[in-house]
Each structure stands twice: as C-alpha cells, then as structure tokens.
Amino acid sequence: MIEWAVDEDTLYVTDADNAELAVTGEDFVIEDTGVDIPRPVDDTLVVTTDELRFPHAVVYAFSLGLEDQYELDPGGEPLSLSPGEYVVDVDTDIKAYLRFSGAATIEKTDDYEEVVVSFPNQTRVILGVRCRHEFPAGTITVPDRPSAIAEAITHMAASHKTDTPNRSYPTLRGHPSLLEHGDELEISDCIKADTPDHGLELVVPSDYESLFVTAPLAYYLQATVRTTDDVSADRAGSTTDRPRLRLPDHAIEKVLSPMPDLERDVEQLLRKTFFLDCLVRNAGPYGTRLSELSLLDALELDADALYEASPQDRLATYLEVPYAAIKHRLPDWHLSTYVTPAYDSIETLPFLLDRLSMVYTPRTSKLEGKELVERSLEDFYRGPGSVSRGGTESHPDAGRATGQVASVDIVKPELRSGRTHGWLADDVPIDVFKSAPEAYHNRLDFLEQSSDSTSICVVLNDPEMAGEHDYVAGIYRRRSEELSIDVTVEESLGTAALARVFEADHDFVHYIGHCETGGLCCPDGTLSASSLDRCNAQTFFLNACGSFYEGKKLIEKGSVAGAVTFTKVLNDHAIKVGSTFAKLLVHGFSIERAMGLARRRIMMGKDYAVVGDGTHSLTQGKSRLPTTATLEELDTAADGRRYLLTFDCYSTRVTGSYYFPHTATNEYAYLCGNESSFTLTESELVTMLKETEASVIYDGDIYWSKELWPRFDR
C-alpha cells in the first residue's frame, strides 16, 4: 500500500511499513497518475521538472533503445546520459524508477546525502514507486496433518516475484500467505495459480520437526514439499525415510541427514544457494561491482549461463560446489529462530519465511554459577579505563528498585548459525529476543494503519531519573527535525493516565521508572499490563527493574516489540542503555539490534532483553541499511596517525542487499553480513565519519558518527 502527498516542492511517499521517501523537485508539477512503466511498481506519477533530488542511494540507468546499462559511480563521479529513452533505478527504502526521454545528469552531492537527477530543461518524467514489504497474499487453512503442512509450505513460494537469481533481492520476495488452523486443507485458486512448479522436490519425514527445519530451504528454492509417507505410497517398494532433495531433470537425489543433523544440512544448502544467487544475479540488469564476485572465476562458474538457466539446471551446478570452497566467503546469516515444532506453531512460519530466517528446534541448559556474569563481560565494550569505570557503578543504593521485583528464571540456549536469534518456545533464554505469535499478527495490524508521523511518548514516573528522561527526550526531538516524529513528554502519571498512554495510538512509549511484581509504579499504585483492554503502543521500552513480564503482557495485549529487563538495574546503567537505545532506534535500527548494541555499554548487559518481534524497526534511517563501524587506532606512521575502520552492515528485514563504503579509494560493494575494512589517515577518517550515518564502537564505548568526528579534526 503506497500513499503520497505533496508539500510545496517535495513529494512524500509512504508505505504500509512506515518507510518514507522524500523527492524534491524544482518547479515540481504533477500531471497524471497510473501511467505504465516497464518495471514492477505499486503506483506511478507523471511530473514535469528540471531537477529531482533523492536520498542517498545506489542508482542504475538503462537505455531502452540500446539496451545499455550504466551505474552511478559510488565514488562521486557524475553520470551523464546523452539524449535517449531511459529508465533510472533509484534504490531507496521505497523503490523508485524514473522513465524519461532526453539527456540527463545524475550525481551525488558533496556530502553524499542526496542523489540529484537534473535535466537541461523542463522534462516530463514518469516516477514509479514500489514498497518493499507487502501484506500476506491470502490465507491457507491447514489441518493437523504433516502432509497438509508440506503442501502449505509448497505454496508459500507463491509470493516470489521471480525464479531467477534475482530472488535473492529482498524486493522480489513477497510476504507468504498466512496459515491458520482448520479441519480441512483449503488453498485458494489464486494462490495455487501463483505457485511455481519447477520440478524440484524436497522430500522430508512425516514429522513436524523436519517440516519446520526444511521450510526456509523449500521456500527459497520454490520446491514442492512432500512427506516420505506420500512418496513411498507413490513408489512401490520404496522404504527410505531419509529427507532428500530431488532434481528429476538431472536424475539427482541428494540424501540429507535425519534430525538433528538435518539442521546443519539445510543451513549449508540454503546459505550456499543464496550466496551463489547473490553473485550470479550480477549478470542480470541489476548487477553491481561486488567484492565477492571474483569467487565465481575461482570456482569456474559461468554467471551469464547460470543467470539464464532453469532453476533445476542452476541448482544442479550449485550442488557440485563443495561447501568448504565457499564457507570462508559466506556472509553471516542474519536471523535464526528457535520454534517448538508442533501444529500449534504453524501460524508463525509465514512470518519467519518472510524474514528468510533459519528455523531450528529449541534446546536449552542451565546457566552455571557465574556464567551469566562472565557472558555479560565478554560482550562489554572494553577500552582504556573500562575497568575503573565499571567499578564505580556497583553501589548497592544506586538501583532502580524500591519494592519486590519479579524474578525470571533464565536459561542458556543452544544457539546455532545467525547474527540475531529469536525464540518461539518455552523458557526465557539469554541472547535471544523472546517472541510470540501475537507479535507478528500485531505487526500486520499496525501496517494497516496509516499515519503522517511517528508518535513517541516519554514517561518519567520517578523524578530521581530525570537525567535519562531529559537525555532521551532531547534525542527524539532532535531526530524529529529530520523525520516526521511527534514527541510528547509526561511526568508522574497515575495508573489511569499511564493506562491511557499505552491504550493510545503511540508508535513508541519510553517508560522510565520502577516496576514491581504488581506492575509499573505510579504515584497512586501500580499498573499491571494485564488490566489493559488493549495495548495500542506499537513498541516500547520499559526501562525499569524486572519489567520482563509486563513487557511480555504488552505483546499479548497488542504491541509488536519492546525492550525490558530481567532483574534489578542500576540508575547509571539504565541511563547508558536507554540513551543509546533511543538514538539507534530513531536511526532505523531494529529493536533487537539497537538493544544488542546498547546493552554492551554496561558490564551487566545481559540484564536487558527484547520481547516480541525483535526484527521490527520503528523508523527508517537516512541509510536504508543500519550500519555499525569499529574504529581502532594503529601505530603512528611517518606521515601521521592511521586508523582501521571496519564496517558491519546487515539487516534482518532486507536480506540479500549490499552496501557501499564511501572511502576515497574503495571501488566495491559488499554483501550485507560481510565486513569491510579500510586503513585511513586522520583527515580521511574525519571525512568518512562526517559523511556516514553509523554507530561507531571506539575506545570502549559506542558513539554516533556525526558526534565522534570532531575528536579527530585537528
């Protein structure tokens, strides 16, 4: 769902996922809508202008007459297009396309903040836009029968927009259909018609464990899923019950391991196939100069032939590539979710496949002795003075708790591959976000609501914590100067008033105060989240002692995700975590990633956690892909100081994207999940930090790039 509005010379485009695209034009005039453009779009506008300005983006231009392709130099060189018929692809958070006739110049501003498309005179331009995140296409009703689940998973692939390697682009994978419980298998004719049939088959044992674990692989490969019971019935004399991947056109039947080793086989197959698709797709019209691309030559793979090959032919070639040959080049996998493999859990599968999450069975063990403390210290940002700084934070009278705090029995999860981990099972583990089926359905409810701005409410319910209150309110207000954010501040709310805050339509509520076993503390008592009719706060941060159960209840009552604590927390710890979390959240980081980075500022960071869908983001940043950099000072060279700057760019929402670090000498893009490192002089570092929107880990703490560069400007 796309909406647009014009304010003077700026066109604002928003989608159902709260992504926003601002396009500024000189003498901007909209003439028409709904005009065709040769690209998949949700809406089109016809504008007349001599200049259009977009946010920072990767840009391609395609000559429709000559079939030539051009890319805007990431280093800053302008792209001049001679008179002709063009389609220009602008890769912003909402996908944008321009179609026009004539000459044009495309360039980046000196600060890399904008892309400018200019014409020698007033030109008629068709502007097409497409949202990246769509609603599920229908619902499939599934009975409690493994063979029925297998057929439903087969039809999840109906949401794909292509069967080429371009399916590795997040914009070409739609949201799978929802699953709901029922007595009979019901799949609409529309979904059946959209389900591809490439002859690929994934045969799995007739149990929920195997079906859940293999679902991401089946979804991405667009394979037909069948249970071994059904296959045995079709093939007289067949006795094998091992899972296997079948390519009939090539007489290939790759036998996979039974559970639990099936998890490893699926992980390797999916990561290898997805990675090679990310490389091969560059032979198509949307290619870029990837750092990892040279691997195809080393493997002696023909990208042009593979791009044009059928899904079976392409996969047959991929299967011949040893996993060990590419393992060291694979990007970190973005997300893994641990799900109880049961009929009651099937409703969460479409949401996990939409994020292309690995699915694992949950296994836990007890935390032994001081293991929680030790694991917290391992994640703590260490730098000069970090030990003494931590030593000043342990005063027993500095805590946030006044009454009895709810206790949480925390366990240790057995985590497998993945940068981010979600938990859809019993127990409360550390190092994961504790999700719930309600969280995903709540997200869809909020997507259906349109809003002109993001509403943030900061609640201070203890005057002794005014330091955090003032700091985070300032962060939100400064960000509101760049994005459409409405900030309200409340103090000392009673139970009824606090209930109204959570029941109101806020996108984010930041509560600062105390929490006891009875609920969130107010001057006139405690507010239990269970007493709310419904929680309409989309996201929240309960920065109070032992707020886990209250946060979990807010998810059940209607929220999507929130940050909570497991136990008592210290005031200065809460201020550090709260202020950093606030800054990362309003710059587009997902709730889990924002909390993961923020809690490492304190020595007992494991006391903080996320409930609900941790992949959810409150707003978008200037850069579509939130970036973290690590900065280290190297030995001083003869001509001055040198620094190692390492970029880490990934997202749990747009898997398959790439990023381009804007250093003076860099010529390559990198797949998200792979780090990139650069050695810079002090002046180069200053320029880099000025032009980059990123969180930077430096000297034992985390900073925002725009605040850090003055330290090195000397």
Side-chain angles (χ1 to χ4, degrees):
M1 182 176 67
I2 289 283
E3 295 182 352
W4 57 271
V6 177
D7 183 4
E8 297 181 348
D9 286 340
T10 302
L11 169 69
Y12 294 97
V13 183
T14 57
D15 70 7
D17 212 10
N18 289 326
E20 181 178 86
L21 169 63
V23 183
T24 304
E26 291 291 330
D27 300 323
F28 203 72
V29 178
I30 295 180
E31 298 179 350
D32 200 358
T33 61
V35 179
D36 287 341
I37 189 171
R39 292 292 186 272
V41 295
D42 293 317
D43 203 355
T44 57
L45 307 170
V46 178
V47 302
T48 300
T49 184
D50 61 5
E51 180 182 284
L52 292 172
R53 288 176 172 261
F54 293 84
H56 169 80
V58 176
V59 180
Y60 300 100
F62 303 90
S63 173
L64 296 183
L66 303 175
E67 297 185 355
D68 290 337
Q69 175 184 334
Y70 313 92
E71 181 179 359
L72 177 62
D73 179 18
E77 286 296 317
L79 173 61
S80 296
L81 301 176
S82 58
E85 187 86 8
Y86 294 96
V87 170
V88 174
D89 179 341
V90 186
D91 193 20
T92 51
D93 204 58
I94 292 177
K95 194 79 170 180
Y97 300 96
L98 305 176
R99 180 172 183 172
F100 58 87
S101 296
T105 300
I106 307 174
E107 57 191 330
K108 296 187 177 182
T109 55
D110 292 340
D111 59 4
Y112 289 91
E113 293 288 343
E114 291 183 307
V115 170
V116 183
V117 182
S118 56
F119 307 95
N121 43 51
Q122 290 288 108
T123 300
R124 181 178 182 270
V125 181
I126 301 174
L127 169 63
V129 289
R130 184 176 85 235
C131 66
R132 295 177 177 273
H133 303 288
E134 299 178 355
F135 290 97
T139 300
I140 298 174
T141 302
V142 187
D144 188 359
R145 190 172 68 249
S147 60
I149 305 298
E151 189 166 351
I153 292 172
T154 297
H155 290 284
M156 296 286 99
S159 64
H160 285 242
K161 298 179 176 70
T162 180
D163 59 9
T164 72
N166 290 335
R167 64 188 173 184
S168 57
Y169 285 116
T171 55
L172 296 176
R173 299 189 305 270
H175 197 302
S177 302
L178 298 181
L179 298 181
E180 67 178 11
H181 298 122
D183 295 330
E184 300 292 336
L185 179 65
E186 297 177 10
I187 304 173
S188 71
D189 292 339
C190 181
I191 294 174
K192 289 180 179 179
D194 289 340
T195 302
D197 183 6
H198 304 307
L200 289 168
E201 279 193 358
L202 189 59
V203 182
V204 299
S206 186
D207 61 71
Y208 285 128
E209 274 192 337
S210 301
L211 285 165
F212 273 65
V213 167
T214 56
L217 179 64
Y219 165 71
Y220 185 73
L221 293 181
Q222 301 165 297
T224 297
V225 183
R226 304 180 69 190
T227 61
T228 50
D229 290 350
D230 287 345
V231 172
S232 297
D234 292 346
R235 298 163 65 186
S238 175
T239 57
T240 180
D241 60 355
R242 292 279 294 274
R244 52 199 183 276
L245 180 62
R246 301 182 66 239
L247 286 68
D249 291 353
H250 293 263
I252 292 175
E253 187 164 292
K254 182 176 177 60
V255 178
L256 307 178
S257 304
M259 287 292 294
D261 292 339
L262 178 61
E263 294 180 338
R264 178 204 58 216
D265 289 357
V266 167
E267 175 197 329
Q268 293 184 0
L269 273 171
L270 179 52
R271 292 184 69 187
K272 178 170 70 171
T273 304
F274 188 84
F275 176 58
L276 292 175
D277 269 355
C278 287
L279 303 187
V280 170
R281 73 189 185 191
N282 291 279
Y286 309 115
T288 193
R289 192 174 185 184
L290 279 181
S291 165
E292 300 87 348
L293 206 53
S294 60
L295 184 60
L296 289 180
D297 291 333
L299 296 172
E300 299 182 346
L301 296 178
D302 185 339
D304 292 321
L306 287 169
Y307 185 83
E308 299 294 340
S310 71
Q312 276 201 55
D313 291 347
R314 192 166 59 248
L315 182 57
T317 301
Y318 289 173
L319 291 177
E320 294 176 358
V321 177
Y323 185 75
I326 63 170
K327 182 179 179 180
H328 63 294
R329 298 295 298 273
L330 290 173
D332 289 339
W333 198 254
H334 60 292
L335 176 65
S336 294
T337 310
Y338 304 81
V339 187
T340 300
Y343 178 62
D344 289 344
S345 303
I346 63 163
E347 64 180 303
T348 61
L349 267 181
F351 301 101
L352 305 184
L353 299 184
D354 179 51
R355 295 291 197 248
L356 207 57
S357 173
M358 292 288 183
V359 176
Y360 295 109
T361 52
R363 296 192 285 270
T364 63
S365 58
K366 289 184 178 181
L367 282 166
E368 301 294 339
K370 298 181 179 179
E371 191 172 2
L372 180 60
V373 175
E374 292 169 353
R375 290 169 73 108
S376 289
L377 294 178
E378 286 175 0
D379 276 353
F380 178 55
Y381 295 128
R382 294 197 174 274
S386 64
V387 174
S388 61
R389 191 164 58 237
T392 65
E393 296 173 335
S394 58
H395 299 300
D397 59 348
R400 287 208 157 179
T402 54
Q404 186 175 359
V405 174
S407 61
V408 182
D409 293 326
I410 306 171
V411 297
K412 179 173 63 175
E414 182 182 317
L415 300 181
R416 273 78 100 195
S417 170
R419 291 287 298 272
T420 302
H421 302 271
W423 196 263
L424 277 162
D426 293 336
D427 297 322
V428 184
I430 60 171
D431 296 324
V432 304
F433 61 86
K434 172 73 172 178
S435 196
E438 296 93 337
Y440 303 106
H441 291 287
N442 294 342
R443 178 165 61 84
L444 292 182
D445 291 340
F446 281 105
L447 291 183
E448 292 176 346
Q449 302 173 16
S450 60
S451 175
D452 295 331
S453 63
T454 299
S455 170
I456 295 178
C457 182
V458 183
V459 178
L460 174 66
N461 257 21
D462 190 311
E464 294 182 3
M465 302 169 190
E468 178 188 349
H469 161 271
D470 296 340
Y471 201 95
V472 300
I475 290 171
Y476 298 138
R477 286 185 175 123
R478 285 191 294 274
R479 188 61 171 149
S480 69
E481 297 172 1
E482 302 172 349
L483 293 178
S484 300
I485 297 178
D486 294 328
V487 182
T488 57
V489 177
E490 305 285 356
E491 298 185 22
S492 301
L493 295 183
T495 53
L498 183 58
R500 286 195 296 271
V501 166
F502 283 107
E503 290 172 345
D505 293 327
H506 290 300
D507 294 292
F508 182 63
V509 174
H510 191 141
Y511 171 85
I512 303 167
H514 298 293
C515 182
E516 299 176 359
T517 52
L520 301 175
C521 294
C522 302
D524 60 347
T526 56
L527 172 69
S528 172
S530 61
S531 67
L532 299 174
D533 290 334
R534 176 169 174 81
C535 180
N536 291 308
Q538 183 179 162
T539 58
F540 56 85
F541 186 11
L542 304 183
N543 204 357
C545 294
S547 59
F548 171 80
Y549 290 112
E550 294 303 312
K552 187 170 177 286
K553 183 60 68 173
L554 289 178
I555 301 298
E556 296 171 7
K557 289 288 184 174
S559 290
V560 180
V564 294
T565 66
F566 286 139
T567 185
K568 295 182 179 181
V569 293
L570 305 178
N571 279 348
D572 47 3
H573 281 192
I575 291 172
K576 281 188 174 184
V577 174
S579 59
T580 305
F581 179 81
K583 184 162 294 184
L584 296 173
L585 193 67
V586 294
H587 279 88
F589 283 69
S590 69
I591 287 184
E592 171 66 17
R593 191 173 177 198
M595 177 50 67
L597 289 166
R599 68 188 182 191
R600 291 174 62 189
R601 295 192 69 200
I602 63 173
M603 299 182 90
M604 286 307 297
K606 302 296 185 185
D607 291 341
Y608 282 85
V610 168
V611 291
D613 179 10
T615 70
H616 190 64
S617 298
L618 177 64
T619 66
Q620 69 177 85
K622 287 185 178 179
S623 299
R624 182 166 54 86
L625 300 166
T627 302
T628 299
T630 301
L631 178 62
E632 299 177 51
E633 186 169 350
L634 304 175
D635 293 337
T636 302
D639 56 347
R641 291 185 174 90
R642 290 282 190 275
Y643 297 87
L644 180 66
L645 190 64
T646 301
F647 288 96
D648 178 20
C649 184
Y650 81 98
S651 170
T652 53
R653 302 172 63 196
V654 286
T655 311
S657 295
Y658 56 86
Y659 67 101
F660 190 96
H662 292 287
T663 65
T665 58
N666 181 46
E667 300 178 352
Y668 295 99
Y670 296 81
L671 288 173
C672 290
N674 276 341
E675 293 183 345
S676 58
S677 297
F678 304 90
T679 300
L680 306 172
T681 65
E682 200 156 50
S683 62
E684 290 172 337
L685 175 63
V686 170
T687 300
M688 189 74 191
L689 294 177
K690 280 183 177 180
E691 296 176 352
T692 301
E693 287 279 347
S695 56
V696 183
I697 300 167
Y698 171 68
D699 192 26
D701 212 337
I702 186 168
Y703 305 87
W704 197 249
S705 51
K706 296 296 177 68
E707 300 168 350
L708 186 59
W709 70 259
R711 289 195 182 195
F712 305 97
D713 190 21
R714 50 198 172 194

